[in-house]
Amino acid sequence: MSEAHGGYYVPHGTTWPIVGSIGLTTLLVGFANYLNGHGIGSIMMAIGLGITLLMMFGWFGVVIKESESGLYNEQVDKSFRWGMSWFIFSEVMFFAAFFGALYYARVLSVPWLGGIDVSTNEVLWNGWTAAWPTNGPGEIGGEFETVGAWGIPAINTLLLLSSGVTVTLAHWALKAGQRVSLVLWLLATVALGFTFLGLQMYEYSHAYHELNLTLGSGIYGSTFFMLTGFHGMHVTIGAIMLTIIMLRCIKGHFTADRHFAFEAVAWYWHFVDVVWLGLFIFVYIL
Amino acid sequence: MSTATTTHDAHHEEQRSGLMRWVFTTNHKDIGTLYLLFSLLMFMVGGAMAMIIRAELFEPGLQFVQPQFFNSMTTMHALIMIFGAVMPGFVGLANWLVPMMIGAPDMALPRMNNWSFWILPFAFAMLLSTLFMEGGAPAGGWTMYPPLVLQTGNAFPFLIFAVHLMGISSIMGAINIVVTIVNMRAPGMTLMKMPLFVWTWLITAYLLIAVMPVLAGAVTMLLTDRFFDTSFFNAAGGGDPVMFQHIFWFFGHPEVYIMILPAFGIVSQIIPTFARKPLFGYSSMVYATASIAFLSFIVWAHHMFTVGMPLTGELFFMYATMLIAVPTGVKVFNWVSTMWKGSMTFETPMLFAIGFVVLFTIGGFSGLMLAITPVDFQYHDTYFVVAHFHYVLVTGAVFSIMAAAYYWMPKWTGNMYDERLGKWHFWMSTVFVNVLFFPQHFLGLAGMPRRIPDYSTQFTEFNQISSIGGFAFGLTQLLFVYIVYKTIRGGVKATDRVWEGAEGLEWTLSSPPPYHSFTTAPEVR
Amino acid sequence: MWLTIVRRALTAISGGVAVLYGAAVSAEYGLNLPRGVTPISQDAYDLHMLVLWVCVAIAVVVFGAMFISIIYHRKSRGAKPAQFHESTLVEIVWTIVPFLILAGMAIPATKALVAMEDTTNSDLSIKVTGYQWKWGYDYIDDGVSFISSLSTPQDQIYNRQSKGDNYLLEVDNPLVVPVNKKVRLLITANDVIHAWWVPELGMKKDAIPGYINEMWINVQEEGVYRGQCAELCGKDHGFMPIVVVAKNEADFDAWMQAQKSAAGADALAADREWAQDELMARGENVYNTACAACHQVSGAGVPGAFPGLVGSPIATGPIEAHLDIVMNGKPGTAMAAFAGQLNDIDIAAVVTYERNAWGNDTGDLVQPSDVEAAR
Ligand code: HEA
Ligand code: HEA
Ligand code: CUA
Ligand SMILES: [Cu+2]
């Protein structure tokens, strides 16, 4: 809306946040109605999602336009970097809550129920012994099997780790001004990401249909699906963002020394990668 | 921090008028004003609920409301006061003051700043709408412990999503503040020259970013336990209801310091001004704040001494909690030393700041008593706890916000507030707040549990005193609303410096300050 | 010990305050923690007073300095501001001194805590179960168990009758314990979290569904001690008191014998056929203590919160479905599973009552044997 004269760019007014608030609220109110069993819920959710997506396109669109027209000086760039880093930190803490739950269940609550806490076990759950994986002394959800670490999960680990490499190669290419290999490496990253998701989906379906491992399989099912599920959601978001970055690269955006958006998405991707490593170790292997 | 802090400016001050100016604004002062007014509104709403609580508790027996609704009032009162009044109040102050104090043109991420605020009205509309739903508003306490909270009616998912929205808003607000402070300081404004308000907010923002996502995780688990068959908090599935409490308080304890660290900052600005003497022990204040923040992550289970933790856990959390008294004590001693041999005057902000020091310390002492595990077995979940946290929250956090409002209102509006009315407001608040909350110590010690709509007859007298204090304190706050209104409308013009002893960049700007605070970065010696 | 000396010194400093306060703490006013009748409660009381006085003393020093400054160092008295603003030495001093004071409190606190958490070598174990909104007691070794719920009439609560002496602190069946015996309580809950607390016995513990928490009491004086549920557990959290009667050994044994024979009588009675008016009379009692808090004495329920039973599909439909919801509850709602709380006679009686009261004249009779079959 207003031009910069070489200083810190301060926009004058913005319409997108309020659109975002309306979108998010519609989405969540819709979801709440849906959960309460009211028919209009799903329609509201669709509308809310639509508005939220519109907001994201609009908002990012404005920022991209401003960025491409050189309104942002180095200090603005730095603000974005700090902002993104702290955002990723907040995401780390979100996952920490669920890893904490996993830790608590494995190290504390399950052993307590299973006999470390003698009276709890004797009086309330007599005869039940602790084990992991478990669906608890009430055997909630019925007998189930777990997904082995060394099948699809191991392959997925390789996929994600390689995608971490390819995105770095893309970054090097960008810095070296090699636009073609930049796009190709990004394409490889995106492809790896979506392959990961495909395999993950296959694994879920396998778990639900053949292993009887579901969200309802006691504390194991809860932690397994919530951790891998939220991770999968983040991979999806990351992969979509990478796709957009790729499209922008094709359009000729970014220069060798100014490409904050690219780096932000790359950071995010690495974050998703690291979370997966944690998952692979604590959920699948141990 | 780079040297090019100069801002661009449009040739024409492009200000929309009417409502749309406030909806679309990216200006830190506008957004600060929105936050502060929203906070005041929520204080009224949450306070009105407290009045219902106090009315029902005026006498034993059920007079005005049914028990379920009473519990809803307690729950909503707390959620609204914490997430709607105190936190937005502090964010509003940060918005107004941080850029002016560090010599920046605006907040670092102005659009996101707008969004941080504009999520809040929607979140609270959602929360308040639950009052009209089948099954009533949430009534499981602000701590939302399962399994009880899972019995909430249709309001349940709305509660969860409202909390999610508040979390998103706080995280964005906090990120913005951190980024502004690390990246937007004027040349020469080194970290150890920053005003303490900026310091305390930097540390608070870090706490927010670290713990709000954890709360989001905790309530998400509640949602899936209720609707998607998970067993996080169900023993039969291998989970544990107490696990929720651990996750919640990992958020909840830092949260209470989120509500007091900015208050420490405010008081550390005000006392030196009116003592006309530099703050005593600036660097120890910074280190003490950082220590409190660090310790706040390892004391959470002092809210859970009665859940049956292993002995070693109880001991650890008792010792860690007691330790917090040390850095907090350093702060109190530094404030007193700042006053010592000063040349004090007692305008309303100073009165509130002194009231804060005394009454917060009393709240801190009762906190220390609660930290002693073997006695907390007696105190826990009684009105002793209620008295403790209202001393630190009302005469702590809320008093500091009032002090800040009086201190900076002349700067914000360009008009002096009515000093005579301000003094009345202070004295009436201070007297009545003690009538309101001091007897609650006795009630708790004598055995009255919290969160009950009715009590046995031996508690009658102190409850009546407390209720009378409550009504009087509540009415007194209407005076505050009037004072604010009057100051915005007009009054004696304020000078740029406003207070004789005031130091800091914000006082070098005109009163009221220009739309963009520092269009050229000031030089800090 | 130096602690005692410190304590004496503190008491001396604040002598004036102490006199005033001492008058105020007298039990009638109910201003202070009770000293209680167990070793635990007395430890807690002593610690409480110690920490309180330490805090008072620090307050006197800190606020004293502050008010001196406020009085003498004010501009209107012509005070000129000094310019000192730093001293590493004093910072260190006021870091270390409070630390030492805290350490002084931590030592006795640790000792007390260790003693409190030691539940070994008990003479008697009682399982305590929290229900919405009553307590269940189960003398594990004697096979005696019963439910204890509020006995204050609704009319007192709704101010239609004047309030009794033990308003809200009275129950139908109190917990009875022997004096001078270490009684171990195994505390758990059936639905949501509750907490078992009697101030004069000195401790509270949360009752957590699916887990057992242990605590012990050793009551040293015969008497009646009253407390309340101390964890928010829903609408009637304020209405689930705890009453403990401590008896000497002989009285306790006699009481236990009486309980056992009553239980035996019930067990015999469960085998016979019951008549309608017998079931209705017993059912009304059970209904009023177990069900009326939600479904109301009139059976009308509370619209939007608790379903009415008058003419309801459950109370007038198939008996099996009715028995099922009473015995197994309805998950996700406040409707509890009563199978574990009530015996066969009580369930048979209350179901019969609900099917025949308030104009629900189904004429159905449910016998204890039907309930046993449904278990
Ligand atoms: C602004 C908010 C705030 C602040 C600052 C504090 C500060 C403290 N709180 Fe408080 N607290 C709450 C808000 C706050 N609290 C709330 C909301 C709850 C209830 C939540 C719920 O259940 O709903 C609660 C509950 C609570 C409990 C749980 C009680 C229970 O449920 O059983 C405990 C237990 O340890 C506790 C301890 C403390 C301590 C030790 C401090 C310390 O930080 C205090 C330190 C300060 C001082 C000690 C005074 C100054 C120091 C000196 C002058 C130095 C010398 C002093 C000594 C050496 C003694 N608090
Ligand atoms: C920052 C937080 C904050 C603030 C500011 C307050 C402010 C007040 N609180 Fe609150 N309170 C909490 C946080 C806070 N509280 C929390 C966390 C809980 C625990 C909840 C739980 O257990 O889950 C709680 C619980 C709580 C209880 C215990 C309820 C229970 O256990 O059942 C009580 C009871 O007296 C109470 C009273 C008050 C009063 C009288 C005020 C007053 O200071 C309010 C004064 C303000 C006004 C009154 C508004 C202005 C005036 C008007 C709107 C005009 C109308 C006025 C009249 C008609 C007189 N609060
Ligand atoms: Cu049971 Cu509160
Ligand atoms: Cu705390």
Side-chain angles (χ1 to χ4, degrees):
Chain A
M1 275 180 201
S2 44
E3 330 90 271
H5 301 292
Y8 197 90
Y9 176 76
V10 180
H12 273 197
T14 170
T15 44
W16 292 113
I18 192 74
V19 176
S21 294
I22 294 171
L24 266 187
T25 308
T26 315
L27 177 63
L28 291 176
V29 170
F31 193 19
N33 273 306
Y34 167 79
L35 291 172
N36 284 339
H38 296 310
I40 47 159
S42 23
I43 302 166
M44 280 183 81
M45 278 169 79
I47 298 174
L49 189 67
I51 302 177
T52 310
L53 289 176
L54 178 74
M55 173 276 289
M56 294 176 83
F57 275 105
W59 191 331
F60 283 123
V62 173
V63 173
I64 290 167
K65 207 158 33 173
E66 286 172 355
S67 168
E68 288 300 310
S69 55
L71 284 175
Y72 296 164
N73 66 7
E74 210 161 297
Q75 202 184 2
V76 175
D77 194 61
K78 245 190 190 151
S79 288
F80 288 159
R81 282 160 194 278
W82 277 110
M84 188 69 191
S85 329
W86 285 105
F87 168 65
I88 290 179
F89 175 66
S90 79
E91 292 267 51
V92 170
M93 292 309 292
F94 181 75
F95 276 98
F98 290 89
F99 275 107
L102 176 66
Y103 171 87
Y104 187 93
R106 295 190 61 169
V107 178
L108 300 171
S109 69
V110 169
W112 280 339
L113 292 164
I116 299 282
D117 186 345
V118 179
S119 16
T120 294
N121 185 259
E122 276 178 7
V123 179
L124 297 175
W125 309 109
N126 205 357
W128 189 74
T129 39
W132 188 266
T134 181
N135 51 1
E139 280 159 22
I140 304 281
E143 237 173 86
F144 67 91
E145 281 171 69
T146 57
V147 177
W150 301 109
I152 290 179
I155 299 174
N156 266 343
T157 310
L158 287 180
L159 289 180
L160 270 196
L161 286 180
S162 347
S163 76
V165 175
T166 52
V167 81
T168 307
L169 290 173
H171 192 198
W172 287 351
L174 173 55
K175 284 204 283 199
Q178 299 155 344
R179 307 293 300 196
V180 179
S181 57
L182 160 66
V183 173
L184 288 179
W185 283 124
L186 272 179
L187 188 64
T189 315
V190 171
L192 288 166
F194 280 110
T195 315
F196 172 94
L197 283 171
L199 287 178
Q200 192 76 346
M201 252 135 75
Y202 169 79
E203 189 195 78
Y204 274 15
S205 137
H206 178 61
Y208 261 78
H209 295 119
E210 276 127 62
L211 305 178
N212 190 32
L213 172 59
T214 69
L215 254 182
S217 298
I219 190 68
Y220 183 84
S222 311
T223 48
F224 176 82
F225 281 105
M226 292 300 278
L227 276 163
T228 55
F230 271 117
H231 176 263
M233 214 170 97
H234 283 75
V235 177
T236 313
I237 295 169
I240 293 174
M241 294 198 304
L242 277 170
T243 310
I244 291 171
I245 293 293
M246 185 174 75
L247 295 176
R248 286 185 64 188
C249 288
I250 293 171
K251 266 179 101 178
H253 288 187
F254 306 127
T255 64
D257 47 277
R258 289 186 56 92
H259 45 260
F260 160 71
F262 179 97
E263 282 182 73
V265 173
W267 292 345
Y268 194 81
W269 194 250
H270 287 308
F271 149 70
V272 168
D273 221 0
V274 172
V275 171
W276 175 260
L277 279 183
L279 283 177
F280 187 58
I281 295 171
F282 293 109
V283 176
Y284 290 100
I285 299 185
L286 292 181
Chain B
M1 155 191 40
S2 85
T3 44
T5 324
T6 41
T7 180
H8 80 90
D9 203 356
H11 336 269
H12 39 99
E13 269 302 76
E14 191 185 327
Q15 260 187 39
R16 273 175 248 245
S17 51
L19 179 67
M20 285 306 132
R21 162 179 170 195
W22 298 100
V23 176
F24 296 140
T25 182
T26 44
N27 180 277
H28 74 101
K29 301 191 185 73
D30 286 353
I31 295 174
T33 306
L34 284 171
Y35 264 114
L36 288 170
L37 292 178
F38 182 76
S39 154
L40 188 59
L41 176 69
M42 286 297 127
F43 180 62
M44 293 294 131
V45 176
M49 292 175 175
M51 295 301 106
I52 296 176
I53 296 174
R54 282 313 333 161
E56 180 56 51
L57 291 177
F58 187 73
E59 274 182 331
L62 294 175
Q63 287 81 26
F64 302 105
V65 296
Q66 288 300 311
Q68 180 74 19
F69 185 75
F70 181 92
N71 293 346
S72 291
M73 285 297 104
T74 300
T75 307
M76 299 285 275
H77 159 69
L79 288 172
I80 288 173
M81 283 298 195
I82 290 175
F83 293 103
V86 172
M87 291 171 63
F90 282 135
V91 181
L93 291 170
N95 253 298
W96 256 103
L97 297 170
V98 167
M100 297 205 294
M101 285 178 162
I102 62 174
D106 203 305
M107 296 291 280
L109 303 163
R111 286 198 184 94
M112 199 169 83
N113 202 12
N114 173 295
W115 205 21
S116 308
F117 173 76
W118 276 107
I119 283 180
L120 284 181
F122 291 87
F124 282 90
M126 241 164 108
L127 186 63
L128 286 167
S129 72
T130 60
L131 281 167
F132 309 101
M133 285 179 191
E134 199 179 313
W142 83 282
T143 47
M144 302 180 281
Y145 285 0
L148 179 63
V149 75
L150 303 176
Q151 294 179 355
T152 310
N154 279 351
F156 181 76
F158 291 89
L159 166 69
I160 304 295
F161 294 143
V163 171
H164 276 142
L165 285 180
M166 293 166 201
I168 294 173
S169 156
S170 297
I171 292 170
M172 290 197 301
I175 289 177
N176 214 340
I177 291 168
V178 175
V179 176
T180 305
I181 298 174
V182 291
N183 195 33
M184 303 289 283
R185 277 171 285 128
M189 176 61 81
T190 57
L191 284 177
M192 289 312 268
K193 274 188 192 154
M194 292 195 313
L196 260 171
F197 179 72
V198 180
W199 254 116
T200 52
W201 241 117
L202 179 63
I203 292 169
T204 305
Y206 167 73
L207 289 181
L208 275 168
I209 301 172
V211 302
M212 293 309 290
V214 176
L215 174 67
V219 298
T220 304
M221 291 180 217
L222 288 178
L223 188 81
T224 59
D225 263 17
R226 162 87 176 249
F227 290 113
F228 300 100
D229 300 333
T230 57
S231 306
F232 287 106
F233 311 128
N234 175 7
D240 185 352
V242 173
M243 176 162 84
F244 176 84
Q245 301 184 17
H246 281 287
I247 305 174
F248 179 87
W249 288 115
F250 182 84
F251 145 80
H253 188 84
E255 168 70 15
V256 307
Y257 290 104
I258 287 165
M259 292 187 284
I260 207 68
L261 294 183
F264 291 165
I266 291 165
V267 171
S268 305
Q269 302 297 130
I270 293 176
I271 291 182
T273 298
F274 295 96
R276 294 169 180 73
K277 188 166 155 275
L279 182 69
F280 189 84
Y282 172 91
S283 45
S284 69
M285 285 297 225
V286 173
Y287 300 138
T289 311
S291 319
I292 295 173
F294 168 75
L295 286 171
S296 76
F297 284 108
I298 54 166
V299 300
W300 75 86
H302 64 217
H303 297 272
M304 307 163 51
F305 284 141
T306 60
V307 300
M309 265 184 291
L311 178 65
T312 39
E314 288 178 339
L315 287 172
F316 172 80
F317 286 108
M318 171 169 77
Y319 299 147
T321 305
M322 291 172 78
L323 269 187
I324 296 196
V326 174
T328 316
V330 168
K331 297 202 146 258
V332 173
F333 302 140
N334 278 330
W335 290 322
V336 174
S337 308
T338 306
M339 293 183 216
W340 191 256
K341 294 226 151 88
S343 169
M344 276 190 275
T345 52
F346 301 93
E347 289 86 346
T348 314
M350 182 63 161
L351 289 175
F352 271 103
I354 292 174
F356 171 94
V357 175
V358 175
L359 299 173
F360 166 78
T361 303
I362 292 178
F365 286 146
S366 58
L368 184 79
M369 295 172 74
L370 291 166
I372 310 291
T373 314
V375 210
D376 183 66
F377 292 149
Q378 290 278 32
Y379 304 139
H380 176 69
D381 259 329
T382 66
Y383 263 78
F384 192 79
V385 179
V386 176
H388 156 65
F389 66 70
H390 282 99
Y391 267 85
V392 282
L393 282 169
V394 178
T395 59
V398 173
F399 265 35
S400 80
I401 295 174
M402 306 251 170
Y406 285 109
Y407 185 57
W408 281 292
M409 217 160 18
K411 172 58 63 187
W412 299 335
T413 62
N415 305 323
M416 291 307 281
Y417 60 88
D418 185 328
E419 186 65 52
R420 196 175 52 90
L421 289 182
K423 288 214 165 81
W424 270 103
H425 176 224
F426 168 76
W427 284 110
M428 296 203 332
S429 293
T430 303
V431 170
F432 294 138
V433 85
N434 284 292
V435 177
L436 166 58
F437 292 121
F438 208 80
Q440 295 186 359
H441 290 115
F442 303 136
L443 285 171
L445 293 176
M448 179 168 160
R450 59 193 281 207
R451 298 166 163 174
I452 54 174
D454 190 4
Y455 48 83
S456 65
T457 46
Q458 85 248 33
F459 304 127
T460 311
E461 286 76 12
F462 285 125
N463 268 304
Q464 286 179 336
I465 298 173
S466 175
S467 288
I468 291 169
F471 302 139
F473 181 75
L475 288 175
T476 307
Q477 303 322 310
L478 295 180
L479 178 60
F480 178 66
V481 178
Y482 172 70
I483 297 172
V484 171
Y485 170 79
K486 199 173 150 200
T487 314
I488 294 174
R489 293 304 301 270
V492 183
K493 291 287 158 251
T495 59
D496 290 355
R497 184 116 183 262
V498 183
W499 311 109
E500 189 187 36
E503 301 281 350
L505 286 179
E506 76 266 35
W507 308 109
T508 64
L509 292 168
S510 58
S511 301
Y515 197 61
H516 290 288
S517 298
F518 286 95
T519 39
T520 27
E523 201 58 50
V524 181
R525 317 124 301 188
Chain C
M1 204 172 99
W2 67 271
L3 258 178
T4 336
I5 304 171
V6 173
R7 209 181 310 174
R8 285 221 192 94
L10 294 179
T11 323
I13 297 175
S14 37
V17 196
V19 175
L20 268 177
Y21 191 81
V25 272
S26 69
E28 302 152 283
Y29 292 95
L31 276 178
N32 201 356
L33 271 189
R35 237 186 100 71
V37 291
T38 63
I40 288 180
S41 69
Q42 288 157 9
D43 278 358
Y45 177 84
D46 292 343
L47 266 170
H48 160 71
M49 292 315 284
L50 168 70
V51 181
L52 177 64
W53 285 122
V54 172
C55 288
V56 169
I58 297 174
V60 168
V61 174
V62 176
F63 299 155
M66 190 168 129
F67 283 106
I68 290 173
S69 172
I70 287 175
I71 292 164
Y72 293 103
H73 308 149
R74 49 170 70 214
K75 196 179 179 198
S76 53
R77 285 198 167 212
K80 292 275 168 297
Q83 285 305 318
F84 64 84
H85 59 88
E86 222 165 23
S87 160
T88 313
L89 180 68
V90 304
E91 300 286 355
I92 291 175
V93 169
W94 64 45
T95 306
I96 291 184
V97 172
F99 183 83
L100 294 177
I101 298 177
L102 292 171
M105 298 183 209
I107 294 165
T110 306
K111 281 195 189 132
L113 187 60
V114 171
M116 287 178 182
E117 294 291 1
D118 176 13
T119 50
T120 53
N121 297 325
S122 61
D123 303 307
L124 175 70
S125 293
I126 303 172
K127 183 179 163 206
V128 178
T129 309
Y131 298 96
Q132 281 175 320
W133 291 280
K134 52 196 159 270
W135 292 96
Y137 298 110
D138 187 350
Y139 294 74
I140 298 177
D141 309 319
D142 301 284
V144 166
S145 63
F146 54 86
I147 297 280
S148 168
S149 45
L150 178 74
S151 62
T152 302
Q154 293 279 311
D155 280 348
Q156 286 188 16
I157 295 171
Y158 285 94
N159 308 312
R160 292 184 289 256
Q161 221 178 58
S162 65
K163 298 186 178 15
D165 282 345
N166 292 311
Y167 178 68
L168 294 190
L169 295 179
E170 51 201 344
V171 298
D172 48 5
N173 305 305
L175 175 68
V176 179
V177 297
V179 291
N180 293 320
K181 285 264 155 62
K182 185 164 179 177
V183 179
R184 184 172 67 132
L185 303 177
L186 302 174
I187 301 177
T188 185
N190 192 50
D191 32 46
V192 302
I193 304 177
H194 305 261
W196 197 90
W197 180 42
V198 177
E200 279 169 305
L201 307 186
M203 206 173 169
K204 74 170 66 73
K205 263 279 166 11
D206 289 1
I208 295 166
Y211 289 82
I212 296 266
N213 274 330
E214 296 185 25
M215 88 180 229
W216 65 276
I217 52 178
N218 189 340
V219 187
Q220 297 179 322
E221 273 171 48
E222 287 178 46
V224 182
Y225 306 104
R226 294 167 200 278
Q228 281 174 272
C229 176
E231 177 63 57
L232 180 58
C233 53
K235 113 183 147 49
D236 282 353
H237 162 59
F239 304 91
M240 53 181 291
I242 296 152
V243 179
V244 177
V245 178
K247 294 188 191 263
N248 64 39
E249 196 156 3
D251 289 355
F252 178 77
D253 289 342
W255 174 84
M256 184 57 87
Q257 271 320 326
Q259 292 298 306
K260 283 183 180 161
S261 38
D266 250 9
L268 282 181
D271 294 339
R272 69 174 168 86
E273 284 280 297
W274 284 56
Q276 165 140 18
D277 46 344
E278 263 183 310
L279 284 170
M280 287 299 280
R282 181 144 177 171
E284 182 167 9
N285 265 333
V286 177
Y287 181 85
N288 286 343
T289 49
C291 318
C294 298
H295 298 293
Q296 307 299 309
V297 177
S298 65
V302 177
F306 305 108
L309 301 178
V310 180
S312 83
I314 293 277
T316 56
I319 300 184
E320 296 70 44
H322 192 175
L323 268 177
D324 177 64
I325 199 167
V326 172
M327 294 176 65
N328 302 318
K330 188 169 175 195
T333 68
M335 181 64 198
F338 286 93
Q341 299 182 35
L342 302 175
N343 64 25
D344 293 352
I345 304 175
D346 288 337
I347 294 179
V350 80
V351 172
T352 306
Y353 177 74
E354 286 173 358
R355 302 184 75 78
N356 294 290
W358 326 294
N360 285 356
D361 298 319
T362 59
D364 297 336
L365 278 197
V366 181
Q367 291 296 339
S369 52
D370 301 337
V371 179
E372 203 194 342
R375 271 186 197 268

